[in-house]
Amino acid sequence: MMGSTNGLTSVRGNQPLFSFGVISDVQYADIPDGRSFLGVPRYYRHSIAVLQRAVQRWNDQKKHKFVINFGDIVDGFCPKDQSLNAVRRVVDGFEDFNGPVYHMIGNHCLYNLPRNKLLPILNIRSVDGRAYYDFSPAPEFRFVVLDGYDISAIGWPQDHPCTIEALKFLQEKNPNSDKNSPSGLEGLERRFLMFNGAVGKEQLEWLDGILQEATSLQQKVVICCHLPLDPGASSKEALLWNYDEVMSVIHRYNCVKVCLAGHDHKGGHAVDSHGIHHRVLEAALECPPGTDAYGYIDVYDDKLSLNGTDRMASTDMLFNPQAHLQEKRHQEVRN
């Protein structure tokens, strides 16, 4: 069901400052339908139709400043000789949108193409093959796109320091011979899988600098990452390896209001102890023919309002500056 489509439902009855489209995990491949490791149906050919309908709707609405794609545009089962064409086909689908499109990389993108081929096609301007960046669509807001596969066993050349660091990390954290198996791993340790990754030291320092700057400019920040950053919003197996380190940087500041992610296809929503909303978006890949999962977000001074279509749930994310103080008081009471 569509959520409210105008600003009249906002607390003060105001119009949104701006709106943007969202979609995640298209994972297109020109192959028959299949199932995930857990047996959930996947509709590889239909997913590009979901994208096409999304772009058509966003264009018809004539109000969106940009679109953000949360990664995994082509599936890992896509035959390797088709990878380049499949990625281009999906990117062309996004480019039918009448405005800028911001991409981020996911594990399935990297199964298909190495970073040096992928980033130019996704129009991610990068330094040294890194895929993190930020942009400010309005003076009051800044969007930060993280590279969750900065330290990763996929996407970099085999002898790259980032690959070596990731493989060493997995060797220490996951005793299984199949590093994508969480077998025997307990609780939050189940995230130490090869299809996840980490934010490296330089990127953490960059993030800290960006949040300092946003604070001084009195900007509200939205963090976007393919991998979820909060266990309350995601399955344990889908989390960024060092989500705790990233969140400890974010929690030093009060400017971050919402963290958006993909990767965990069923979606999720939680508010953390500092009052930050974590919204994981439902996957386009898991839509049976005739169903959809995409949406758009209206941005207000005091909230983000996700208007979801069909399998993507609508969600109001109200900024609460008191939340972390309340939590602190609760902790003091508990102690």
Side-chain angles (χ1 to χ4, degrees):
M1 196 179 93
M2 283 297 289
S4 65
T5 52
N6 59 35
L8 300 174
T9 55
S10 173
V11 182
R12 295 193 301 276
N14 56 352
Q15 288 295 311
L17 297 168
F18 60 92
S19 306
F20 63 97
V22 292
I23 194 167
S24 190
D25 298 86
V26 174
Q27 280 179 235
Y28 166 72
D30 187 11
I31 56 173
D33 295 341
R35 288 179 181 273
S36 74
F37 176 69
L38 298 170
V40 179
R42 294 184 160 182
Y43 304 94
Y44 297 111
R45 289 186 176 120
H46 177 250
S47 67
I48 202 164
V50 177
L51 171 63
Q52 287 158 349
R53 288 194 292 269
V55 169
Q56 182 69 57
R57 175 76 64 86
W58 295 326
N59 284 338
D60 289 349
Q61 285 163 337
K62 292 188 174 60
K63 68 175 217 166
H64 305 308
K65 205 161 190 175
F66 55 92
V67 161
I68 304 186
N69 158 40
F70 281 81
D72 278 3
I73 58 176
V74 172
D75 194 82
F77 283 129
C78 176
K80 293 298 157 272
D81 58 344
Q82 293 176 28
S83 289
L84 191 58
N85 286 340
V87 169
R88 286 205 168 116
R89 193 176 165 199
V90 182
V91 169
D92 287 348
F94 274 104
E95 285 180 354
D96 288 336
F97 173 67
N98 300 328
V101 178
Y102 296 97
H103 293 279
M104 65 198 78
I105 54 174
N107 49 313
H108 282 268
C109 313
L110 297 169
Y111 297 147
N112 279 278
L113 294 176
R115 279 172 177 262
N116 59 359
K117 282 214 169 67
L118 185 66
L119 299 190
I121 300 173
L122 297 178
N123 202 19
I124 297 174
R125 286 185 289 283
S126 79
V127 180
D128 299 336
R130 300 313 202 275
Y132 53 87
Y133 60 95
D134 71 305
F135 63 98
S136 180
E140 308 93 323
F141 276 85
R142 185 178 295 210
F143 284 68
V144 175
V145 177
L146 297 179
D147 179 351
Y149 292 89
D150 185 1
I151 306 299
S152 167
I154 44 179
W156 297 106
Q158 278 308 291
D159 58 354
H160 195 282
C162 292
T163 312
I164 293 163
E165 187 180 338
L167 289 171
K168 183 171 174 282
F169 179 84
L170 281 170
Q171 204 56 47
E172 286 166 13
K173 299 285 189 184
N174 186 334
N176 298 311
S177 56
D178 172 6
K179 299 298 179 199
N180 275 326
S181 167
S183 178
L185 298 176
E186 292 294 323
L188 289 166
E189 291 183 352
R190 293 176 73 82
R191 72 187 186 275
F192 299 131
L193 305 173
M194 197 186 259
F195 59 65
N196 297 329
V199 164
K201 189 169 172 292
E202 274 176 49
Q203 189 180 172
L204 282 171
E205 285 165 8
W206 171 83
L207 173 63
D208 192 57
I210 292 285
L211 298 183
Q212 258 175 49
E213 195 178 290
T215 301
S216 68
L217 294 169
Q218 298 187 312
Q219 290 174 321
K220 297 177 178 88
V221 177
V222 178
I223 303 275
C224 303
C225 184
H226 179 65
L227 291 157
L229 301 174
D230 185 79
S234 160
S235 66
K236 296 173 181 69
E237 293 82 1
L239 290 162
L240 185 82
W241 288 342
N242 64 334
Y243 78 88
D244 45 350
E245 278 187 285
V246 172
M247 288 313 301
S248 80
V249 172
I250 288 170
H251 286 154
R252 280 179 214 154
Y253 303 91
N254 290 324
C255 56
V256 176
K257 303 300 175 189
V258 175
C259 297
L260 300 171
H263 193 53
D264 195 23
H265 292 181
K266 68 185 184 303
H269 177 229
V271 183
D272 72 20
S273 59
H274 287 60
I276 297 172
H277 288 264
H278 294 262
R279 180 68 173 87
V280 178
L281 301 172
E282 292 81 358
L285 174 67
E286 292 183 0
C287 293
T291 65
D292 286 309
Y294 62 85
Y296 67 87
I297 293 180
D298 284 329
V299 178
Y300 300 90
D301 273 329
D302 58 350
K303 70 170 180 174
L304 258 55
S305 187
L306 168 59
N307 298 271
T309 301
D310 212 358
R311 294 170 67 88
M312 188 175 285
S314 294
T315 313
D316 265 351
M317 295 168 267
L318 206 59
F319 308 155
N320 179 3
Q322 298 306 314
H324 62 286
L325 296 174
Q326 288 166 357
E327 179 64 21
K328 217 171 171 182
R329 282 192 209 107
H330 288 167
Q331 279 171 343
E332 282 161 10
V333 170
R334 283 197 295 268
N335 295 341

PDB file of all heavy atoms in Angstrom, residues 180-197:
ATOM      1  N   ASN A 180      31.795 -18.418   3.908  1.00  0.00           N
ATOM      2  CA  ASN A 180      30.438 -17.864   3.865  1.00  0.00           C
ATOM      3  C   ASN A 180      29.477 -18.640   4.770  1.00  0.00           C
ATOM      4  O   ASN A 180      28.284 -18.360   4.794  1.00  0.00           O
ATOM      5  CB  ASN A 180      29.890 -17.855   2.428  1.00  0.00           C
ATOM      6  CG  ASN A 180      30.339 -16.599   1.691  1.00  0.00           C
ATOM      7  OD1 ASN A 180      30.467 -15.535   2.296  1.00  0.00           O
ATOM      8  ND2 ASN A 180      30.592 -16.724   0.401  1.00  0.00           N
ATOM      9  N   SER A 181      30.000 -19.604   5.520  1.00  0.00           N
ATOM     10  CA  SER A 181      29.156 -20.386   6.428  1.00  0.00           C
ATOM     11  C   SER A 181      29.298 -19.869   7.856  1.00  0.00           C
ATOM     12  O   SER A 181      30.413 -19.769   8.379  1.00  0.00           O
ATOM     13  CB  SER A 181      29.555 -21.860   6.388  1.00  0.00           C
ATOM     14  OG  SER A 181      28.952 -22.525   7.479  1.00  0.00           O
ATOM     15  N   PRO A 182      28.148 -19.562   8.507  1.00  0.00           N
ATOM     16  CA  PRO A 182      28.200 -19.123   9.915  1.00  0.00           C
ATOM     17  C   PRO A 182      28.156 -20.288  10.905  1.00  0.00           C
ATOM     18  O   PRO A 182      28.034 -20.076  12.105  1.00  0.00           O
ATOM     19  CB  PRO A 182      26.930 -18.269  10.041  1.00  0.00           C
ATOM     20  CG  PRO A 182      25.958 -18.878   9.080  1.00  0.00           C
ATOM     21  CD  PRO A 182      26.770 -19.495   7.959  1.00  0.00           C
ATOM     22  N   SER A 183      28.264 -21.516  10.393  1.00  0.00           N
ATOM     23  CA  SER A 183      28.141 -22.709  11.230  1.00  0.00           C
ATOM     24  C   SER A 183      29.080 -22.629  12.442  1.00  0.00           C
ATOM     25  O   SER A 183      30.284 -22.380  12.295  1.00  0.00           O
ATOM     26  CB  SER A 183      28.475 -23.943  10.396  1.00  0.00           C
ATOM     27  OG  SER A 183      28.403 -25.081  11.200  1.00  0.00           O
ATOM     28  N   GLY A 184      28.510 -22.799  13.638  1.00  0.00           N
ATOM     29  CA  GLY A 184      29.318 -22.779  14.861  1.00  0.00           C
ATOM     30  C   GLY A 184      29.597 -21.394  15.410  1.00  0.00           C
ATOM     31  O   GLY A 184      30.083 -21.257  16.535  1.00  0.00           O
ATOM     32  N   LEU A 185      29.314 -20.345  14.632  1.00  0.00           N
ATOM     33  CA  LEU A 185      29.521 -18.975  15.131  1.00  0.00           C
ATOM     34  C   LEU A 185      28.311 -18.579  15.978  1.00  0.00           C
ATOM     35  O   LEU A 185      27.171 -18.866  15.623  1.00  0.00           O
ATOM     36  CB  LEU A 185      29.699 -17.991  13.972  1.00  0.00           C
ATOM     37  CG  LEU A 185      30.906 -18.220  13.062  1.00  0.00           C
ATOM     38  CD1 LEU A 185      30.915 -17.230  11.905  1.00  0.00           C
ATOM     39  CD2 LEU A 185      32.213 -18.102  13.855  1.00  0.00           C
ATOM     40  N   GLU A 186      28.574 -17.906  17.087  1.00  0.00           N
ATOM     41  CA  GLU A 186      27.510 -17.574  18.038  1.00  0.00           C
ATOM     42  C   GLU A 186      27.125 -16.091  17.958  1.00  0.00           C
ATOM     43  O   GLU A 186      27.998 -15.233  17.817  1.00  0.00           O
ATOM     44  CB  GLU A 186      27.978 -17.867  19.476  1.00  0.00           C
ATOM     45  CG  GLU A 186      28.174 -19.341  19.770  1.00  0.00           C
ATOM     46  CD  GLU A 186      26.874 -20.140  19.730  1.00  0.00           C
ATOM     47  OE1 GLU A 186      25.835 -19.601  20.170  1.00  0.00           O
ATOM     48  OE2 GLU A 186      26.897 -21.291  19.228  1.00  0.00           O
ATOM     49  N   GLY A 187      25.838 -15.818  18.076  1.00  0.00           N
ATOM     50  CA  GLY A 187      25.351 -14.439  18.212  1.00  0.00           C
ATOM     51  C   GLY A 187      25.877 -13.514  17.136  1.00  0.00           C
ATOM     52  O   GLY A 187      25.864 -13.839  15.945  1.00  0.00           O
ATOM     53  N   LEU A 188      26.384 -12.353  17.565  1.00  0.00           N
ATOM     54  CA  LEU A 188      26.846 -11.332  16.614  1.00  0.00           C
ATOM     55  C   LEU A 188      28.078 -11.771  15.827  1.00  0.00           C
ATOM     56  O   LEU A 188      28.401 -11.162  14.804  1.00  0.00           O
ATOM     57  CB  LEU A 188      27.129 -10.015  17.354  1.00  0.00           C
ATOM     58  CG  LEU A 188      25.864  -9.287  17.841  1.00  0.00           C
ATOM     59  CD1 LEU A 188      26.211  -8.191  18.848  1.00  0.00           C
ATOM     60  CD2 LEU A 188      25.088  -8.699  16.670  1.00  0.00           C
ATOM     61  N   GLU A 189      28.753 -12.834  16.276  1.00  0.00           N
ATOM     62  CA  GLU A 189      29.911 -13.339  15.521  1.00  0.00           C
ATOM     63  C   GLU A 189      29.488 -13.945  14.179  1.00  0.00           C
ATOM     64  O   GLU A 189      30.331 -14.190  13.314  1.00  0.00           O
ATOM     65  CB  GLU A 189      30.668 -14.388  16.339  1.00  0.00           C
ATOM     66  CG  GLU A 189      31.370 -13.780  17.537  1.00  0.00           C
ATOM     67  CD  GLU A 189      32.186 -14.797  18.313  1.00  0.00           C
ATOM     68  OE1 GLU A 189      32.087 -16.008  17.999  1.00  0.00           O
ATOM     69  OE2 GLU A 189      32.909 -14.369  19.218  1.00  0.00           O
ATOM     70  N   ARG A 190      28.195 -14.176  14.003  1.00  0.00           N
ATOM     71  CA  ARG A 190      27.703 -14.764  12.743  1.00  0.00           C
ATOM     72  C   ARG A 190      27.863 -13.799  11.557  1.00  0.00           C
ATOM     73  O   ARG A 190      27.656 -14.183  10.406  1.00  0.00           O
ATOM     74  CB  ARG A 190      26.238 -15.191  12.897  1.00  0.00           C
ATOM     75  CG  ARG A 190      26.092 -16.350  13.884  1.00  0.00           C
ATOM     76  CD  ARG A 190      24.629 -16.711  14.127  1.00  0.00           C
ATOM     77  NE  ARG A 190      24.042 -17.403  12.981  1.00  0.00           N
ATOM     78  CZ  ARG A 190      24.173 -18.700  12.723  1.00  0.00           C
ATOM     79  NH1 ARG A 190      24.903 -19.465  13.513  1.00  0.00           N
ATOM     80  NH2 ARG A 190      23.577 -19.245  11.676  1.00  0.00           N
ATOM     81  N   ARG A 191      28.274 -12.565  11.827  1.00  0.00           N
ATOM     82  CA  ARG A 191      28.496 -11.603  10.725  1.00  0.00           C
ATOM     83  C   ARG A 191      29.854 -11.797  10.047  1.00  0.00           C
ATOM     84  O   ARG A 191      30.110 -11.191   9.000  1.00  0.00           O
ATOM     85  CB  ARG A 191      28.376 -10.169  11.231  1.00  0.00           C
ATOM     86  CG  ARG A 191      29.535  -9.681  12.107  1.00  0.00           C
ATOM     87  CD  ARG A 191      29.198  -8.304  12.684  1.00  0.00           C
ATOM     88  NE  ARG A 191      30.271  -7.666  13.417  1.00  0.00           N
ATOM     89  CZ  ARG A 191      30.557  -7.859  14.692  1.00  0.00           C
ATOM     90  NH1 ARG A 191      29.880  -8.763  15.397  1.00  0.00           N
ATOM     91  NH2 ARG A 191      31.528  -7.187  15.285  1.00  0.00           N
ATOM     92  N   PHE A 192      30.715 -12.622  10.617  1.00  0.00           N
ATOM     93  CA  PHE A 192      32.074 -12.753  10.072  1.00  0.00           C
ATOM     94  C   PHE A 192      32.091 -13.728   8.889  1.00  0.00           C
ATOM     95  O   PHE A 192      32.652 -14.825   8.952  1.00  0.00           O
ATOM     96  CB  PHE A 192      33.061 -13.158  11.172  1.00  0.00           C
ATOM     97  CG  PHE A 192      33.155 -12.143  12.285  1.00  0.00           C
ATOM     98  CD1 PHE A 192      33.069 -12.524  13.617  1.00  0.00           C
ATOM     99  CD2 PHE A 192      33.295 -10.783  12.000  1.00  0.00           C
ATOM    100  CE1 PHE A 192      33.147 -11.575  14.637  1.00  0.00           C
ATOM    101  CE2 PHE A 192      33.373  -9.835  13.009  1.00  0.00           C
ATOM    102  CZ  PHE A 192      33.301 -10.232  14.334  1.00  0.00           C
ATOM    103  N   LEU A 193      31.453 -13.291   7.805  1.00  0.00           N
ATOM    104  CA  LEU A 193      31.299 -14.099   6.596  1.00  0.00           C
ATOM    105  C   LEU A 193      31.934 -13.383   5.418  1.00  0.00           C
ATOM    106  O   LEU A 193      32.012 -12.145   5.396  1.00  0.00           O
ATOM    107  CB  LEU A 193      29.809 -14.332   6.323  1.00  0.00           C
ATOM    108  CG  LEU A 193      29.019 -14.956   7.490  1.00  0.00           C
ATOM    109  CD1 LEU A 193      27.531 -14.975   7.186  1.00  0.00           C
ATOM    110  CD2 LEU A 193      29.531 -16.373   7.784  1.00  0.00           C
ATOM    111  N   MET A 194      32.339 -14.155   4.414  1.00  0.00           N
ATOM    112  CA  MET A 194      33.066 -13.567   3.289  1.00  0.00           C
ATOM    113  C   MET A 194      32.209 -12.607   2.465  1.00  0.00           C
ATOM    114  O   MET A 194      32.732 -11.713   1.813  1.00  0.00           O
ATOM    115  CB  MET A 194      33.641 -14.670   2.399  1.00  0.00           C
ATOM    116  CG  MET A 194      34.735 -14.144   1.477  1.00  0.00           C
ATOM    117  SD  MET A 194      35.298 -15.387   0.309  1.00  0.00           S
ATOM    118  CE  MET A 194      36.798 -15.903   1.075  1.00  0.00           C
ATOM    119  N   PHE A 195      30.867 -12.783   2.487  1.00  0.00           N
ATOM    120  CA  PHE A 195      30.047 -11.868   1.668  1.00  0.00           C
ATOM    121  C   PHE A 195      29.813 -10.516   2.348  1.00  0.00           C
ATOM    122  O   PHE A 195      29.143  -9.649   1.802  1.00  0.00           O
ATOM    123  CB  PHE A 195      28.731 -12.515   1.203  1.00  0.00           C
ATOM    124  CG  PHE A 195      27.795 -13.015   2.279  1.00  0.00           C
ATOM    125  CD1 PHE A 195      27.198 -12.142   3.170  1.00  0.00           C
ATOM    126  CD2 PHE A 195      27.483 -14.372   2.359  1.00  0.00           C
ATOM    127  CE1 PHE A 195      26.314 -12.602   4.139  1.00  0.00           C
ATOM    128  CE2 PHE A 195      26.598 -14.842   3.327  1.00  0.00           C
ATOM    129  CZ  PHE A 195      26.014 -13.948   4.216  1.00  0.00           C
ATOM    130  N   ASN A 196      30.362 -10.344   3.560  1.00  0.00           N
ATOM    131  CA  ASN A 196      30.340  -9.030   4.207  1.00  0.00           C
ATOM    132  C   ASN A 196      31.719  -8.389   4.097  1.00  0.00           C
ATOM    133  O   ASN A 196      32.623  -8.952   3.479  1.00  0.00           O
ATOM    134  CB  ASN A 196      29.904  -9.172   5.667  1.00  0.00           C
ATOM    135  CG  ASN A 196      28.484  -9.720   5.781  1.00  0.00           C
ATOM    136  OD1 ASN A 196      27.653  -9.472   4.912  1.00  0.00           O
ATOM    137  ND2 ASN A 196      28.203 -10.467   6.842  1.00  0.00           N
ATOM    138  N   GLY A 197      31.885  -7.242   4.714  1.00  0.00           N
ATOM    139  CA  GLY A 197      33.165  -6.553   4.664  1.00  0.00           C
ATOM    140  C   GLY A 197      33.236  -5.525   5.776  1.00  0.00           C
ATOM    141  O   GLY A 197      32.358  -5.486   6.642  1.00  0.00           O
TER     142      GLY A 197
END
